[in-house]
């Protein structure tokens, strides 16, 4: 297994894996647009402040991914790195892929001059395990994310 930066040829399998992530997550109540994701992933790979790394097996088959970016704090000029998603295929979980993806993100953020790393957990999947993993990697728990479904009127 190795971690590498994504290539445009990885986008299709990444979008397909994204559908697996979406199906097990709190996002299941929203739609899933492969077309939109193809465009977004393509632009993120090209963005100098975008991060797309993938975990691949010995046959270069993609089974995990971490997407993020560098952004400026809204209240100042310092920058931080945040994630869009972090996902490992369910059959490949429990190994080192997830940790190695985070470490690759940390290295990249440092190279980009970010002053902090601020990933989150928004899927609602394995939240305690993920929180524990981040804490073991030296992260501090500093907040919560909430969700409320808006009821459509009949």
């Amino acid at each position: 297994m190795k971690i590498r930066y994504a290539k445009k040829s990885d986008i299709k399998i990444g979008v397909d894996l994204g559908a697996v992530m979406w199906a097990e997550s709190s996002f299941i109540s929203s739609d899933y647009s492969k077309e939109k994701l193809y465009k977004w992933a393509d632009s993120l790979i090209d963005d100098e402040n975008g991060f797309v790394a993938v975990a691949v097996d010995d046959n270069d088959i993609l089974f995990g991914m971490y997407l993020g970016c560098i952004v400026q704090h809204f209240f100042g000029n310092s920058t931080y790195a945040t994630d869009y998603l972090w996902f490992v295929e369910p059959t490949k979980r429990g190994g080192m892929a997830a940790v190695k993806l985070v470490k690759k993100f940390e290295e990249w953020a440092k190279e980009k001059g970010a002053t902090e790393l601020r990933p989150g957990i928004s899927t609602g999947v394995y939240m305690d395990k993920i929180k524990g993993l981040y804490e073991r990697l030296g992260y501090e728990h500093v907040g919560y994310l909430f969700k409320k479904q808006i009821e459509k009127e009949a």
Side-chain angles (χ1 to χ4, degrees):
M1 187 249 338
K2 69 178 179 177
I3 306 300
R4 63 169 170 76
Y5 290 111
K7 302 178 277 190
K8 300 236 179 185
S9 59
D10 295 321
I11 293 174
K12 183 186 181 322
I13 188 67
V15 169
D16 290 344
L17 275 179
V20 175
M21 178 182 164
W22 168 80
E24 74 175 357
S25 77
S26 66
F27 297 106
I28 190 73
S29 61
S30 62
D31 66 327
Y32 189 83
S33 172
K34 285 187 173 189
E35 181 180 299
K36 182 175 182 178
L37 287 167
Y38 286 128
K39 290 177 186 174
W40 177 67
D42 186 66
S43 67
L44 191 61
I45 288 172
D46 288 339
D47 186 340
E48 70 179 44
N49 288 319
F51 175 82
V52 184
V54 294
V56 296
D57 65 17
D58 292 337
N59 296 314
D60 208 38
I61 305 297
L62 192 155
F63 68 89
M65 54 193 172
Y66 197 112
L67 283 65
C69 65
I70 300 287
V71 294
Q72 228 177 34
H73 284 287
F74 63 88
F75 48 78
N77 296 311
S78 55
T79 59
Y80 65 95
T82 189
D83 68 326
Y84 291 116
L85 68 87
W86 175 35
F87 181 75
V88 174
E89 182 182 301
T91 62
K92 302 283 191 174
R93 292 177 185 161
M96 289 302 297
V99 170
K100 288 183 177 187
L101 284 164
V102 171
K103 292 295 188 182
K104 184 77 167 175
F105 181 62
E106 291 175 351
E107 291 169 15
W108 172 83
K110 185 176 181 179
E111 289 170 10
K112 288 290 189 176
T115 59
E116 292 181 306
L117 298 140
R118 288 187 166 260
I121 306 167
S122 59
T123 59
V125 178
Y126 302 118
M127 293 188 306
D128 289 336
K129 283 184 177 183
I130 295 168
K131 177 183 174 287
L133 177 56
Y134 271 126
E135 288 172 342
R136 284 189 300 282
L137 292 172
Y139 289 78
E140 175 186 3
H141 179 215
V142 296
Y144 296 95
L145 183 67
F146 297 93
K147 175 187 171 185
K148 182 178 182 180
Q149 197 69 32
I150 297 175
E151 300 296 324
K152 294 182 181 180
E153 294 189 27

